[in-house]
Amino acid sequence: MKFHIRFADQVVGFFVLIAIVSLLLIVIFMGINQRWFAKDYYFTSKFLSGNGLSVGMPIKLKGFKIGSIDEIALTTDNTVEARFHIFDTYYEKVTKNSVLELTVSPIGIGGSGMQFYPGKSRELIPDNSFIPSLDFEEGQELVSKGLVNKPPADDTIVKIINQIGPLLDNSNKTLISLKSVLKTVDDSLNGHSDGPAGDIVGRLSMLTKQLNTLMDDASGQINSILSDTSGITSNIEATSSQLTDTTGLVTKLLDPKGSIARLLDDNLELYSQITDILSSVELTTTELNTFTRYINSSRPQISSLLESSREALQKGKDVLEALSNNPLLRGGISSSKEQPTTFKGYREEDF
Amino acid sequence: MLGRLGRWFIDYVKGIFYALGFFFKVIKASMPFFRGRQIGKKVLTMQILFTGFEALNIIALIAMALGAVIIIQGVSLLPQFGQGELTFPILITIITRELGPLLCAFIIIARSGTAIATELGHNVVSHEIEAYIASGIDPISYLAAPRFLGVTLSILLLNLYFNFFGLIGSFFITQLIEPVQATDYFRKLLSYLRLEDIASSTLKSLTFGIIISLSSLYYGFKVEQASTEVPQMVIKAVGASFVFSIIADAVITLIYYTR
């Protein structure tokens, strides 16, 4: 027979006993740990909101749990009344002018809790008394008067939140200024401003209008030029296409069977004729040159002859005039100033 | 058609009343055990031995493994969110309030519920029940009542052990993987553990014990003639035990959280 079946009664008894003893031990240790038999001191306080408050919430002093919330209720004046107890071991901390502060983390996790700040007085607050919270003026006044032993906030998030407030204020102010500046800029851009910027914008607007008019005028002319250019371009294009055309003018000119080719292909007959013509032209030029030299050498005689002719004509004129002015005939010959010759012969010149 | 439906309904209602009568008779037959009139004391002892003591090793193993997993996960993961303190409420919620009683019930259903239904079924088939009656022994008092008390007490005790191993034994397992300071661990554990947790856990295991034992006994005695009925009734006993245990768990949890 197996051991545990042979001693079934003892095994079961041991099994039951250990379970009961373990349970009792756990309950006893729970009682000691949770201070079931210790005397606690009860107090009440008021808060503006029940957010973050809960039954069983620990009350802490410098990170140590000194009590907890027992009951919370909404009062007739819409404030939240909390009843809490402080452990007897920490009762000596509950001095006159003590306050409570409910800190709620804005991100929902961590950082929330009920802080207890003891008063600087040595006088203890009696059981079932009211301890003000910092939600109300009463508690804030105690802190402002320096009657509360309240250390500076050591919570990082609280510090950050405290810094965020002024930052947000500054940001708000900056945004208001920015809005004003934007309005001014907007007015200036609309030309409603009296300042130099508005003036510039107004002038710019006028210039733009004038430019638009000019552009309209120029547009017609440019269109005309463009149409001409288009015609020229099409002509050039046609010529170019003819030049590039394999059956075009150049090809025809260069065609070995073309008329030009045939004209040129005459066994140098045309060339010989051109050469002859050029020789005749050269001979004529030579003769003309000779003639010119002769004329040039005969120029004084010719000049003299022309001068004599001129004088003869002048005398003839005078005679004719004298005849016309003859008193017998008319009034005789009128006096006139002798005009010297513009050209003198080489023999008349002084040496 | 209508007649068949009516007959089925009448039979169903009769069955319910029969079951209620049976449960009442079993509970009534169990009362003398508390007054010292112990006809089936040895049966009760053996039932606690088989159902409670012999299941202790598997219960201890599951509880320690589960507790260790929760502590390791909690200690390594939750502090990253600044919620390291939540390790203990989670541990207590899972081990003590929710999973502990239910896992104990499942193990007892699998080990003892099936065994009781099978044994009683075979007793009926082999006419042993008739023999007890012929000998002047009430089978309810001698067979059913000790088993009912034995299973119910065993679940209660096993649940205590589950908590013991889950909350304390798992600490030693955790020490091998991720050491946690013992004084800090037990101080926090005891500060978060409430009497309501223990009461909820005890109430659950007591309810599960009653459900499992009565279902197993009822379906065991429901076998009539053939041995082929035995496995069918065992399956029904297991199914009923699971279903009613889970429903009871939900109801008790609901009461706990809405109180």
Side-chain angles (χ1 to χ4, degrees):
Chain A
M1 191 182 284
K2 283 184 181 177
F3 175 82
H4 69 278
I5 293 174
R6 190 177 171 191
F7 298 99
D9 289 339
Q10 288 84 347
V11 169
V12 169
F14 193 65
F15 176 68
V16 174
L17 192 69
I18 287 180
I20 292 167
V21 168
S22 303
L23 179 66
L24 285 174
L25 281 174
I26 287 171
V27 171
I28 289 166
F29 279 117
M30 268 173 65
I32 293 167
N33 200 269
Q34 294 176 16
R35 310 177 66 260
W36 288 352
F37 310 107
K39 175 173 169 55
D40 293 331
Y41 292 86
Y42 292 86
F43 301 95
T44 54
S45 185
K46 274 190 178 182
F47 298 91
L48 282 175
S49 168
N51 282 338
L53 269 177
S54 61
V55 174
M57 184 181 192
I59 295 170
K60 290 187 174 178
L61 169 60
K62 299 202 172 191
F64 287 86
K65 184 181 174 183
I66 63 164
S68 62
I69 304 282
D70 297 316
E71 196 181 331
I72 48 175
L74 189 66
T75 59
T76 50
D77 59 344
N78 289 328
T79 56
V80 178
E81 189 179 83
R83 184 173 162 78
F84 62 96
H85 67 267
I86 301 288
F87 304 151
D88 56 347
T89 45
Y90 292 104
Y91 177 60
E92 62 184 18
K93 307 284 181 190
V94 189
T95 53
K96 194 180 171 186
N97 299 327
S98 297
V99 291
L100 285 170
E101 185 184 26
L102 176 65
T103 52
V104 181
S105 168
I107 54 173
I109 51 167
S112 302
M114 182 71 76
Q115 304 298 325
F116 179 86
Y117 302 118
K120 287 182 177 171
S121 169
R122 287 182 176 272
E123 187 184 340
L124 293 175
I125 298 175
D127 198 10
N128 290 314
S129 299
F130 176 80
I131 295 177
S133 74
L134 290 182
D135 282 8
F136 290 94
E137 205 174 324
E138 190 183 349
Q140 292 165 9
E141 201 177 326
L142 290 173
V143 175
S144 63
K145 283 180 179 173
L147 299 173
V148 183
N149 192 4
K150 185 176 182 292
D154 57 349
D155 185 82
T156 312
I157 292 173
V158 172
K159 280 181 184 173
I160 291 167
I161 290 164
N162 289 338
Q163 287 170 359
I164 285 170
L167 275 174
L168 285 173
D169 286 344
N170 288 335
S171 303
N172 200 23
K173 283 175 188 169
T174 310
L175 283 172
I176 290 165
S177 304
L178 196 64
K179 190 182 173 186
S180 170
V181 169
L182 284 172
K183 190 176 180 308
T184 309
V185 170
D186 196 36
D187 286 345
S188 298
L189 289 173
N190 285 326
H192 299 152
S193 172
D194 298 332
D199 190 36
I200 289 166
V201 171
R203 287 182 185 182
L204 197 63
S205 178
M206 260 172 56
L207 278 173
T208 310
K209 280 178 188 169
Q210 289 174 358
L211 189 65
N212 279 338
T213 314
L214 277 172
M215 285 300 289
D216 287 342
D217 295 343
S219 179
Q221 293 175 7
I222 288 167
N223 283 338
S224 168
I225 292 165
L226 281 174
S227 64
D228 293 346
T229 310
S230 176
I232 293 164
T233 309
S234 61
N235 289 338
I236 290 167
E237 190 180 353
T239 310
S240 177
S241 65
Q242 282 177 0
L243 288 171
T244 53
D245 188 7
T246 50
T247 60
L249 179 66
V250 175
T251 313
K252 281 177 184 172
L253 289 172
L254 296 175
D255 188 4
K257 291 177 182 177
S259 54
I260 293 172
R262 276 184 296 187
L263 182 69
L264 294 173
D265 190 16
D266 56 354
N267 294 324
L268 299 176
E269 189 179 337
L270 181 62
Y271 178 74
S272 301
Q273 286 177 3
I274 291 167
T275 308
D276 290 345
I277 289 164
L278 288 173
S279 299
S280 301
V281 168
E282 189 182 3
L283 187 64
T284 306
T285 308
T286 307
E287 284 174 354
L288 187 64
N289 196 20
T290 308
F291 176 72
T292 307
R293 279 181 194 155
Y294 169 74
I295 290 296
N296 201 24
S297 61
S298 305
R299 193 174 61 94
Q301 288 88 354
I302 293 165
S303 296
S304 174
L305 184 65
L306 288 171
E307 185 65 23
S308 300
S309 301
R310 190 188 67 85
E311 284 175 357
L313 286 169
Q314 185 65 36
K315 282 178 180 175
K317 183 189 170 191
D318 290 345
V319 170
L320 288 170
E321 191 179 359
L323 286 173
S324 63
N325 293 336
N326 192 322
L328 296 176
L329 299 173
R330 182 71 60 92
I333 300 163
S334 58
S335 61
S336 64
K337 192 180 178 180
E338 187 181 357
Q339 183 175 348
T341 181
T342 54
F343 182 78
K344 288 180 179 176
Y346 289 116
R347 290 178 185 173
E348 293 171 352
E349 288 179 356
D350 295 331
F351 297 98
Chain B
M1 175 73 179
L2 203 64
R4 272 196 301 177
L5 185 69
R7 270 198 303 281
W8 172 82
F9 183 72
I10 289 164
D11 289 344
Y12 188 78
V13 172
K14 274 183 181 174
I16 290 171
F17 278 109
Y18 174 76
L20 287 172
F22 175 77
F23 299 153
F24 176 72
K25 202 167 168 42
V26 171
I27 290 165
K28 191 182 170 190
S30 306
M31 290 301 123
F33 281 89
F34 299 105
R35 294 200 295 265
R37 293 162 62 188
Q38 304 153 344
I39 300 169
K41 182 180 172 292
K42 188 68 184 172
V43 182
L44 172 63
T45 307
M46 295 312 284
Q47 191 62 54
I48 293 172
L49 184 77
F50 292 137
T51 305
F53 181 75
E54 288 189 354
L56 189 60
N57 51 1
I58 189 167
I59 288 285
L61 182 70
I62 290 172
M64 282 199 288
L66 190 65
V69 167
I70 295 165
I71 294 168
I72 291 164
Q73 292 285 350
V75 167
S76 60
L77 201 67
L78 291 172
Q80 292 177 25
F81 305 102
Q83 300 293 318
E85 294 280 313
L86 276 180
T87 307
F88 299 97
I90 290 170
L91 184 71
I92 290 163
T93 304
I94 293 174
I95 297 286
T96 307
R97 276 212 313 264
E98 302 301 334
L99 221 50
L102 209 58
L103 277 174
C104 285
F106 288 168
I107 291 164
I108 297 299
I109 290 168
R111 287 188 81 256
S112 303
T114 51
I116 290 167
T118 309
E119 187 189 4
L120 292 180
H122 281 296
N123 283 347
V124 174
V125 171
S126 60
H127 302 286
E128 284 181 44
I129 305 299
E130 291 165 9
Y132 280 124
I133 294 168
S135 306
I137 299 168
D138 180 15
I140 299 292
S141 299
Y142 186 70
L143 296 175
R147 282 170 175 76
F148 167 71
L149 289 175
V151 168
T152 308
L153 280 173
S154 295
I155 283 202
L156 268 174
L157 295 170
L158 281 176
N159 187 42
L160 284 175
Y161 279 106
F162 191 96
N163 280 286
F164 186 74
F165 285 109
L167 298 177
I168 300 165
S170 57
F171 167 76
F172 296 103
I173 301 280
T174 311
Q175 291 302 98
L176 301 173
I177 303 160
E178 193 164 335
V180 181
Q181 202 177 1
T183 49
D184 185 52
Y185 175 85
F186 287 110
R187 188 179 55 77
K188 284 180 179 171
L189 183 70
L190 290 169
S191 68
Y192 281 104
L193 188 65
R194 302 275 158 192
L195 270 183
E196 298 97 272
D197 299 323
I198 296 171
S200 167
S201 181
T202 309
L203 180 65
K204 278 184 180 180
S205 54
L206 188 71
T207 312
F208 298 158
I210 291 169
I211 288 169
I212 294 164
S213 56
L214 286 178
S215 299
S216 306
L217 291 168
Y218 175 75
Y219 283 104
F221 280 124
K222 217 179 174 190
V223 175
E224 289 177 353
Q225 293 173 1
S227 59
T228 50
E229 290 175 54
V230 175
Q232 291 174 11
M233 290 304 157
V234 169
I235 290 167
K236 283 186 178 177
V238 169
S241 300
F242 270 122
V243 170
F244 287 117
S245 295
I246 289 168
I247 291 170
D249 182 58
V251 170
I252 294 167
T253 304
L254 208 65
I255 291 166
Y256 180 88
Y257 283 105
T258 54
R259 73 196 153 81

